């Protein structure tokens, strides 16, 4: 897809097919983040990549995983002087903790949805000027297992 903003044309990829070509996805991510972006080394058995978006102009990407009736998002963007990732928090923060994977410290915040009472985990970390955020509703043990099995190149 291409979007035009004034004189500027932005190339934007969005793959919505159920059989996502992970090889093609990794090629697109490598163009933006280099060979060193952090990959998920573990996903629960019923968590499958369903689609992804790549915005070359903004130098960011989001991977969407279907996990039962929930969507888990893995967001990454390159650090820039004016880049920031803001998110409006509508749920109540009830806890926070850190996890470690290799030499990376990962900050995790736990939110409780007011409507359902379910817990949503949001993990943030940085590696080689790329910022990452993993966000999903699942059991803490599964979320932590994903974090502990990140693949660093």
């Amino acid at each position: 897809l291409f979007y035009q903003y004034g004189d500027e044309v932005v190339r934007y990829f969005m793959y919505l097919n159920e059989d996502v070509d992970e090889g093609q996805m990794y090629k697109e991510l490598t163009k933006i983040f280099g060979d060193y972006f952090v990959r998920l080394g573990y996903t629960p058995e019923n968590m499958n990549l369903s689609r992804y978006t790549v915005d070359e102009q903004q130098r960011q990407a989001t991977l969407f995983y279907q996990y039962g009736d929930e969507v888990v998002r893995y967001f990454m963007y390159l650090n820039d002087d004016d880049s920031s990732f803001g998110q409006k928090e509508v749920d109540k923060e009830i806890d926070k903790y850190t996890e470690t994977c290799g030499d990376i410290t990962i900050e995790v915040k736990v939110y409780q949805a007011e409507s359902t009472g379910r817990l949503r985990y949001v993990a943030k970390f940085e590696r080689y000027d790329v910022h990452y955020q993993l966000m999903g509703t699942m059991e803490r043990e599964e979320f932590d297992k994903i974090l502990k099995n990140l693949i660093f190149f």
Side-chain angles (χ1 to χ4, degrees):
L1 297 173
F2 291 90
Y3 294 98
Q4 184 150 358
Y5 300 100
D7 293 332
E8 184 176 352
V9 175
V10 176
R11 194 167 116 180
Y12 183 75
F13 295 95
M14 186 171 207
Y15 299 89
L16 298 172
N17 106 33
E18 290 183 11
D19 297 320
V20 176
D21 181 347
E22 289 192 42
Q24 178 63 31
M25 178 192 71
Y26 287 129
K27 286 179 186 176
E28 294 294 334
L29 295 176
T30 300
K31 286 180 190 175
I32 295 174
F33 304 110
D35 293 323
Y36 303 107
F37 67 91
V38 179
R39 300 180 189 195
L40 303 184
Y42 166 82
T43 56
E45 188 174 313
N46 58 343
M47 184 173 138
N48 299 301
L49 181 65
S50 59
R51 64 186 173 101
Y52 66 98
T53 62
V54 176
D55 184 333
E56 290 180 345
Q57 183 68 27
Q58 295 294 318
R59 300 187 309 170
Q60 64 186 27
T62 307
L63 284 55
F64 298 88
Y65 293 85
Q66 194 64 44
Y67 182 62
D69 61 348
E70 298 289 336
V71 175
V72 176
R73 292 169 185 84
Y74 186 41
F75 180 75
M76 57 192 78
Y77 71 94
L78 261 168
N79 192 16
D80 200 340
D81 289 339
D82 63 350
S83 75
S84 63
F85 180 66
Q87 179 177 321
K88 188 166 78 172
E89 301 297 348
V90 294
D91 297 330
K92 180 181 178 185
E93 182 182 329
I94 61 167
D95 195 12
K96 59 184 168 183
Y97 63 96
T98 59
E99 277 295 335
T100 303
C101 183
D103 62 346
I104 299 294
T105 299
I106 304 166
E107 297 176 13
V108 181
K109 291 185 178 181
V110 184
Y111 298 89
Q112 186 167 32
E114 291 184 22
S115 59
T116 64
R118 296 184 72 185
L119 300 181
R120 179 171 47 92
Y121 297 87
V122 179
K124 294 180 182 180
F125 61 97
E126 181 182 349
R127 175 85 168 187
Y128 298 128
D129 292 328
V130 179
H131 293 259
Y132 298 89
Q133 181 182 75
L134 179 66
M135 179 168 59
T137 301
M138 63 181 62
E139 296 296 320
R140 177 175 172 166
E141 294 77 23
E142 288 287 9
F143 193 81
D144 290 349
K145 190 171 181 181
I146 293 170
L147 297 177
K148 291 175 183 175
N149 287 281
L150 294 171
I151 299 174
F152 300 97
F153 291 92

